[in-house]
């Protein structure tokens, strides 16, 4: 049987209306080109965390020395999982739930990944809405957060304010008095005697008072901030428009959304490098003399492993979903290497662009760089905008920065929603062939309405709560089960044979490293990170605002709702199986009868007895030797 499909495809009764005539898989469709796929994967992996977390971690953990544990963790945890998931999706041409036909007892892992991805997509688009708001606010000759305007209170100041100090009276007496007395009597403070007031920069007050209209806590919901709600609606409309034809439309959009952020990063780096103080910022980032003693601290290695794990977006289901649209013989190995390297190099490069500007900000404020460095929301919506507002032609740089954040966020959001729609397509293929556009737009509108609570005056607290619980150890737990299930239950050697059906035979030494990682190193490392995350778990808070008990309870309920499907689905699968309890369990630990390559022309002798992949079945695959092993 030929391994390549005929070139003169016509639209058959079962063919997806959005599949191309040159697609290998006319049921589900394929990427129009290899570039579409790679850019979509890069856009998914390269996100806001590369900008607002990695540079801070590098500075905090020994500067350039941090690149050592970061590279080690890429090799030990990131790349093995990334390659595994890309291979898995491509081999079966199925999404993150249906792909678990390979191991029915763990199909709940797929449900967990999709549910967590959905919850993350709700608040992730709110962050994109923040970027949109700041983008629109940049279209002003004077940036609204550049000074303390009418919305500011008495604690707002661009410069430090002296509250009291020592001064010398006309008769030579030295006294300690308030600063208003000193200025009203034309006196001067003695050097080193000043005490400063607690002040907030205008960018911080703008973020809290104007952009968020932030309430006092989670208990005070307040009203919907209408302009944030409109930005959120716009962001969901952009996502829906990019995905209305699935990968056929999103694969074209990513040519701009995945590539243009690099143009902006280069522009920001070149501009930042020409500013006074930029060198100090970069030296703080990489360290003129890297602190290699930091490598002796376990926290540094934990930070490196966690950053790699979450930066590459493994175990979220997106890698499986995007790879499921590859052609069967695509070289997923080289793809995994390429995307992982691009992601990590982007993180390093972004740090130079960020810290060069922060160095200039520290220079202007006459402060050490350490006092202006932050991560997360405070970096991208307070510190960096404040630095940009001090540059000539500030609105231009502000526009470019927030446009870059918008594109980085949209790329990741495209893949997240594609993960959900791919899951729906696998479960309801006939419906998706006819109703892909209304289903996609309907999903986006549903998630928009669910996200409205995140654009109330207490919205930032909800965003932080969802991020704290949903994007944490729940996905780590799913990742551990995923790699243990594939390596130890399904069989790592069997999985390697599956991969070789796609990319060709490799020598034993080629697989030596991947076997070591999949069987032992990566599972152990993930277990250590998971254990560490549980031990160091703390109740969430935003800034200095503590969350109420009921808020933490809601967070725990959300994470329990995500992972509870793992035992529930396992119990359902065992209950549906035949035989005594042990036989049922063993049956669910073997591949289903419809597990294998999606197209018959790719199944070869190993999967020649595979049943119709459109049917949901849980029986084992029969072969001439009995059950596949």
């Amino acid at each position: 049987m030929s391994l390549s499909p005929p070139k003169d495809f016509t639209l058959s009764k079962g063919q997806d209306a959005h599949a191309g005539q040159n697609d290998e898989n006319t049921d589900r469709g394929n990427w129009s080109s290899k570039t579409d796929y790679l850019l979509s994967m890069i856009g998914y992996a390269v996100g806001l965390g590369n900008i607002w977390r990695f540079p801070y971690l590098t500075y905090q953990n020994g500067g350039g020395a941090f690149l050592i544990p970061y590279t080690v963790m890429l090799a030990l945890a990131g790349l093995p999982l990334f390659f595994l998931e890309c291979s898995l999706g491509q081999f079966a041409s199925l999404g993150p739930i249906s792909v678990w036909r390979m191991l029915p007892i763990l199909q709940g892992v797929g449900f967990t990944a999709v549910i967590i991805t959905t919850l993350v997509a709700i608040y992730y688009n709110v962050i994109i809405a923040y970027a949109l708001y700041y983008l629109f606010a940049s279209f002003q000759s004077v940036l609204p957060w550049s000074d303390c305007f009418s919305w500011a209170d008495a604690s707002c100041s661009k410069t430090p304010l002296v509250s009291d100090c020592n001064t010398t009276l006309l008769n030579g007496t030295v006294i300690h008095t308030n600063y208003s007395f000193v200025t009203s009597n034309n006196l001067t403070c003695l050097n080193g005697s000043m005490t400063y007031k607690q002040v907030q920069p205008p960018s911080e007050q703008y973020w809290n008072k104007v952009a968020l209209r932030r309430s006092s806590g989670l208990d005070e919901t307040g009203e919907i901030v209408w302009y944030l709600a409109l930005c959120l609606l716009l962001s969901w409309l952009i996502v829906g428009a990019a995905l209305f034809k699935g990968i056929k439309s999103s694969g074209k959009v990513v040519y701009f959304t995945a590539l243009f952020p690099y143009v902006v990063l280069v522009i920001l780096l070149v501009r930042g490098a020409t500013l006074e103080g930029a060198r100090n910022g970069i030296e703080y980032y990489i360290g003129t003399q890297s602190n290699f003693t930091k490598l002796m601290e376990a926290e540094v290695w934990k930070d490196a492993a966690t950053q790699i794990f979450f930066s590459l977006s493994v175990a979220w289901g997106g890698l499986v979903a995007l790879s499921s649209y590859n052609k069967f013989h695509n070289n997923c190995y080289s793809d995994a290497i390429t995307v992982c390297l691009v992601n990590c190099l982007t993180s390093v490069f972004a740090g130079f662009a960020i810290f060069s500007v922060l160095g200039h900000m520290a220079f202007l404020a006459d402060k050490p760089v350490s006092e202006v460095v932050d991560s997360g929301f405070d970096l991208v919506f307070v510190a960096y905008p404040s630095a940009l507002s001090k540059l000539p032609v500030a609105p231009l740089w502000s526009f470019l920065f927030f446009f870059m954040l918008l594109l980085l966020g949209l790329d990741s959001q495209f893949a997240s929603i594609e993960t959900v729609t791919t899951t729906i397509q696998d479960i309801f293929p006939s419906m998706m062939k006819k109703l892909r556009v209304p289903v996609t737009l309907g999903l986006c509108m549903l998630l928009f309405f669910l996200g409205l609570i995140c654009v109330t005056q207490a919205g930032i607290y909800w965003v932080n709560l969802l991020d704290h619980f949903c994007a944490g150890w729940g996905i780590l737990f799913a990742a551990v089960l995923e790699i243990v299930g594939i390596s130890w239950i399904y069989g790592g050697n069997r999985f390697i044979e599956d991969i070789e059906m796609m990319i060709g035979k490799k020598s034993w030494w080629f697989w030596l490293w991947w076997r070591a990682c999949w069987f032992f190193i990566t599972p152990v490392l993930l277990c250590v990170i998971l254990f560490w995350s549980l031990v160091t778990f703390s109740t969430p808070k935003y800034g200095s605002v503590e969350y109420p008990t009921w808020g933490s309870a809601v967070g725990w309920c959300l994470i329990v709702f995500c992972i509870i499907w793992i035992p529930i689905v396992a119990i359902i699968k065992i209950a549906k199986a035949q035989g005594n309890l042990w036989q049922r369990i063993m049956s669910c630990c073997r591949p289903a009868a419809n597990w294998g390559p999606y197209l018959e022309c790719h199944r070869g002798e190993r999967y020649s007895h595979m049943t119709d992949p459109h049917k949901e079945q849980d029986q084992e695959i029969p072969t001439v030797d009995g059950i596949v092993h």
Side-chain angles (χ1 to χ4, degrees):
M1 183 179 293
S2 173
L3 294 180
S4 57
K7 296 182 179 180
D8 54 342
F9 280 122
T10 56
L11 190 63
S12 63
K13 183 178 179 180
Q15 180 177 329
D16 190 340
H18 297 292
Q21 290 189 348
N22 294 322
D23 285 349
E24 183 179 76
N25 190 328
T26 55
D27 279 343
R28 303 178 83 252
N30 295 111
W31 293 101
S32 299
S33 70
K34 178 73 167 280
T35 308
D36 290 11
Y37 167 67
L38 286 177
L39 289 178
S40 296
M41 292 287 276
I42 290 171
Y44 182 43
V46 177
L48 298 177
N50 298 73
I51 302 296
W52 75 18
R53 181 163 168 77
F54 176 82
Y56 177 78
L57 287 178
T58 304
Y59 151 76
Q60 189 181 48
N61 292 308
F66 181 67
L67 296 179
I68 295 175
Y70 186 72
T71 304
V72 170
M73 291 305 169
L74 170 64
L76 297 181
L79 191 52
L81 274 170
F82 200 94
F83 180 34
L84 180 144
E85 292 197 3
C86 291
S87 304
L88 185 61
Q90 179 175 308
F91 179 76
S93 298
L94 294 171
I97 292 180
S98 296
V99 79
W100 283 99
R101 295 170 182 177
M102 71 182 306
L103 194 59
I105 199 169
L106 288 183
Q107 193 170 50
V109 172
F111 281 92
T112 293
V114 172
I115 292 171
I116 291 179
T117 294
T118 304
L119 290 174
V120 169
I122 292 173
Y123 77 81
Y124 202 82
N125 231 26
V126 175
I127 300 174
I128 297 174
Y130 295 157
L132 271 171
Y133 172 78
Y134 271 79
L135 181 72
F136 295 141
S138 300
F139 288 100
Q140 301 181 49
S141 58
V142 177
L143 291 175
W145 55 84
S146 61
D147 209 338
C148 299
F149 296 110
S150 58
W151 41 261
D153 59 28
S155 64
C156 179
S157 176
K158 295 174 64 176
T159 58
L161 297 179
V162 178
S163 59
D164 50 65
C165 66
N166 293 336
T167 187
T168 304
L169 299 178
L170 296 178
N171 61 8
T173 304
V174 176
I175 64 169
H176 186 80
T177 184
N178 61 67
Y179 191 65
S180 61
F181 175 83
V182 174
T183 55
S184 63
N185 290 277
N186 293 323
L187 300 174
T188 58
C189 291
L190 298 177
N191 289 336
S193 67
M194 284 81 77
T195 302
Y196 292 93
K197 293 180 181 178
Q198 287 278 30
V199 298
Q200 293 179 313
S203 60
E204 182 178 349
Q205 290 213 350
Y206 183 85
W207 166 242
N208 289 311
K209 290 177 172 290
V210 181
L212 298 178
R213 292 174 56 193
R214 179 157 71 97
S215 66
S216 60
L218 200 63
D219 290 315
E220 185 185 349
T221 301
E223 60 187 19
I224 291 177
V225 182
W226 65 268
Y227 42 83
L228 288 182
L230 290 178
C231 289
L232 180 62
L233 177 62
L234 176 59
S235 63
W236 276 117
L237 289 175
I238 294 172
V239 172
L243 295 175
F244 79 102
K245 285 189 176 181
I247 59 169
K248 296 300 183 184
S249 54
S250 67
K252 303 308 176 189
V253 175
V254 293
Y255 277 84
F256 179 72
T257 59
L259 293 176
F260 194 72
Y262 290 97
V263 176
V264 178
L265 276 176
V266 171
I267 294 173
L268 290 176
L269 176 58
V270 172
R271 182 67 184 101
T274 63
L275 299 171
E276 286 187 279
R279 180 174 179 177
N280 291 334
I282 292 174
E283 286 178 353
Y284 265 89
Y285 170 48
I286 60 174
T288 51
Q289 292 181 340
S290 296
N291 186 2
F292 287 96
T293 59
K294 280 278 190 177
L295 300 182
M296 304 300 293
E297 300 176 14
E299 186 74 18
V300 173
W301 292 85
K302 188 270 292 184
D303 282 345
T306 304
Q307 177 64 15
I308 279 290
F309 179 84
F310 289 108
S311 177
L312 292 177
S313 302
V314 291
W316 295 85
L319 301 180
V320 174
L322 294 178
S323 299
S324 70
Y325 296 103
N326 276 334
K327 294 183 178 180
F328 187 76
H329 292 294
N330 172 65
N331 190 345
C332 52
Y333 170 73
S334 65
D335 294 345
I337 299 290
T338 300
V339 175
C340 287
L341 287 178
V342 169
N343 175 73
C344 295
L345 291 175
T346 301
S347 296
V348 176
F349 183 71
F352 287 97
I354 296 295
F355 269 79
S356 62
V357 176
L358 293 181
H360 177 64
M361 181 181 180
F363 171 80
L364 293 178
D366 195 22
K367 293 180 178 180
V369 179
S370 58
E371 293 187 17
V372 299
V373 173
D374 219 321
S375 65
F377 295 115
D378 287 340
L379 172 64
V380 298
F381 296 115
V382 177
Y384 207 78
S386 178
L388 294 175
S389 68
K390 296 175 173 62
L391 301 182
V393 201
L396 171 64
W397 307 115
S398 179
F399 169 80
L400 287 174
F401 177 70
F402 288 109
F403 191 51
M404 177 187 68
L405 286 186
L406 172 65
L407 297 182
L408 287 173
L410 285 174
D411 275 339
S412 298
Q413 191 72 348
F414 292 160
S416 296
I417 302 305
E418 188 63 53
T419 301
V420 181
T421 56
T422 296
T423 300
I424 297 173
Q425 175 174 303
D426 289 340
I427 299 174
F428 306 106
S430 299
M431 179 186 72
M432 286 297 283
K433 287 170 184 173
K434 301 175 182 177
L435 303 173
R436 175 179 290 276
V437 173
V439 168
T440 301
L441 294 179
L443 174 65
C444 290
M445 285 300 98
L446 172 63
L447 296 182
F448 162 72
F449 286 114
L450 291 176
L452 283 178
I453 193 171
C454 295
V455 289
T456 61
Q457 290 178 270
I460 190 65
Y461 302 113
W462 285 105
V463 170
N464 191 55
L465 181 76
L466 288 168
D467 182 64
H468 191 82
F469 283 95
C470 296
W473 60 267
I475 205 69
L476 275 169
F477 184 67
V480 170
L481 290 180
E482 176 184 76
I483 194 167
V484 169
I486 294 175
S487 300
W488 290 95
I489 303 178
Y490 177 77
N493 291 330
R494 179 197 295 177
F495 186 62
I496 287 173
E497 291 178 6
D498 291 341
I499 296 175
E500 288 185 331
M501 290 178 65
M502 298 186 294
I503 66 174
K505 289 285 186 180
K506 303 292 182 182
S507 59
W508 67 270
W509 59 265
F510 174 88
W511 293 112
L512 187 61
W513 171 254
W514 301 108
R515 281 191 173 97
C517 289
W518 289 339
F519 278 100
F520 179 72
I521 298 174
T522 306
V524 170
L525 188 58
L526 289 178
C527 287
V528 170
I529 301 172
L530 176 60
F531 176 75
W532 194 305
S533 299
L534 290 172
V535 169
T536 59
F537 191 88
S538 59
T539 55
K541 65 178 183 176
Y542 182 77
S544 59
V545 179
E546 299 284 346
Y547 277 62
T549 303
W550 69 265
S552 296
V554 169
W556 282 111
C557 289
L558 283 173
I559 197 62
V560 168
F561 174 74
C562 292
I563 65 177
I564 195 65
W565 298 101
I566 297 175
I568 287 178
V569 173
I571 291 171
I572 292 174
K573 293 292 183 181
I574 292 172
K576 287 184 175 181
Q578 298 179 348
N580 58 41
L581 180 60
W582 178 249
Q583 290 172 333
R584 293 182 180 203
I585 293 175
M586 292 303 295
S587 174
C588 293
C589 290
R590 300 188 182 105
N594 56 353
W595 163 252
Y598 194 93
L599 299 179
E600 186 178 356
C601 61
H602 296 140
R603 294 171 194 166
E605 186 177 347
R606 290 185 68 229
Y607 289 92
S608 59
H609 298 283
M610 176 182 168
T611 61
D612 187 352
H614 292 93
K615 297 179 181 178
E616 291 290 342
Q617 300 180 32
D618 293 332
Q619 294 81 25
E620 304 88 352
I621 302 175
T623 67
V624 292
D625 298 321
I627 300 301
V628 153
H629 56 83

